[in-house]
Amino acid sequence: DAKTTQPPSMDCAEGRAANLPCNHSTISGNEYVYWYRQIHSQGPQYIIHGLKNNETNEMASLIITEDRKSSTLILPHATLRDTAVYYCIVRVAQTSGSRLTFGEGTQLTVNP
Amino acid sequence: EPEVTQTPSHQVTQMGQEVILRCVPISNHLYFYWYRQILGQKVEFLVSFYNNEISEKSEIFDDQFSVERPDGSNFTLKIRSTKLEDSAMYFCASSRTAIGNTIYFGEGSWLTVV
């Protein structure tokens, strides 16, 4: 799986948009970009994923550059409960099931 | 919203004892996974399971570990003879399909080996 690079930490003011960047310059054509977050020691929580196009759901938006070498997760109105470690993961999809390889992620702290 | 459930939430065991961690994946899911996270470290993949057999395993998943789907709903991880370094949070996960599909995680089972 392609390696991802994320900043170790970021801060965001409550109510503002949080923009979390991720570099995945070696991504292959059949690899998806996934975002998960982990609040304290809870189970990783799925946020969003995409292949080529930008995606939006009730939690966040995912912007993938045209060359697919980087992406940005956008939390439009961050709340204190969004404080978590955010993981950008590139995953090969195989018919036999494919693993998620977690890196260090970005510790996002939302401040009041 | 359907969820992956795990039991027990916390277990303390003596070194050398066998431990079974249990999981109930989301009901229409076909792919099952175990991950672990040692305190302060990254989430690590252990094993994936599909069609009643292991489809992929990591180097961590040695002969001390085994997985089983004993019935139509449960998915278990067995550690035969626990070691101190097995102390970790163990996460079960499941997905409906493999390609482009989301993996959902349970809240974890915290294992402490003393």
Side-chain angles (χ1 to χ4, degrees):
Chain A
D1 293 342
K3 184 176 168 56
T4 62
T5 304
Q6 299 178 252
S9 63
M10 292 182 65
D11 285 292
C12 176
E14 189 178 19
R16 304 299 292 267
N19 297 284
L20 292 93
C22 179
N23 287 320
H24 32 79
S25 58
T26 60
I27 193 170
S28 300
N30 64 343
E31 289 180 317
Y32 288 76
V33 179
Y34 280 78
W35 283 83
Y36 281 78
R37 72 181 183 184
Q38 190 176 26
I39 298 172
H40 199 43
S41 293
Q42 296 177 20
Q45 179 188 22
Y46 166 78
I47 301 172
I48 200 166
H49 76 282
L51 183 62
K52 295 181 189 176
N53 301 319
N54 298 337
E55 302 287 344
T56 295
N57 62 20
E58 64 279 4
M59 288 182 70
S61 295
L62 173 61
I63 308 298
I64 303 174
T65 58
E66 196 169 335
D67 63 9
R68 301 186 70 235
K69 292 184 178 181
S70 65
S71 60
T72 301
L73 177 75
I74 301 172
L75 306 178
H77 305 287
T79 70
L80 298 179
R81 287 182 295 181
D82 292 322
T83 292
V85 179
Y86 286 77
Y87 300 99
C88 169
I89 301 169
V90 170
R91 177 189 178 206
V92 174
Q94 301 168 359
T95 53
S96 60
S98 59
R99 65 172 78 182
L100 292 167
T101 301
F102 288 82
E104 303 291 344
T106 296
Q107 171 66 59
L108 175 69
T109 302
V110 181
N111 301 303
Chain B
E1 181 178 305
E3 58 182 19
V4 176
T5 57
Q6 293 186 239
T7 54
S9 56
H10 187 196
Q11 182 163 352
V12 181
T13 190
Q14 295 274 346
M15 192 168 53
Q17 294 296 305
E18 176 182 284
V19 160
I20 297 176
L21 304 178
R22 290 182 169 80
C23 168
V24 178
I26 295 172
S27 63
N28 62 348
H29 284 190
L30 301 176
Y31 295 82
F32 313 112
Y33 312 83
W34 284 100
Y35 289 74
R36 80 171 186 189
Q37 187 174 31
I38 295 170
L39 188 63
Q41 297 187 22
K42 295 187 285 188
V43 177
E44 301 173 291
F45 169 79
L46 291 178
V47 65
S48 61
F49 190 87
Y50 169 68
N51 201 25
N52 281 319
E53 60 183 29
I54 291 173
S55 50
E56 188 181 5
K57 62 182 181 179
S58 72
E59 57 280 1
I60 302 169
F61 194 87
D62 60 22
D63 292 344
Q64 292 296 318
F65 292 90
S66 62
V67 289
E68 192 179 33
R69 189 155 161 82
D71 52 42
S73 59
N74 290 287
F75 180 52
T76 62
L77 173 69
K78 182 192 290 186
I79 309 174
R80 289 194 182 82
S81 177
T82 50
K83 303 188 279 279
L84 295 177
E85 53 265 37
D86 293 327
S87 294
M89 181 74 91
Y90 288 82
F91 296 110
C92 176
S94 68
S95 64
R96 188 164 59 86
T97 63
I99 298 177
N101 211 251
T102 300
I103 296 178
Y104 293 94
F105 286 79
E107 287 304 308
S109 292
W110 181 247
L111 176 65
T112 302
V113 182
V114 296

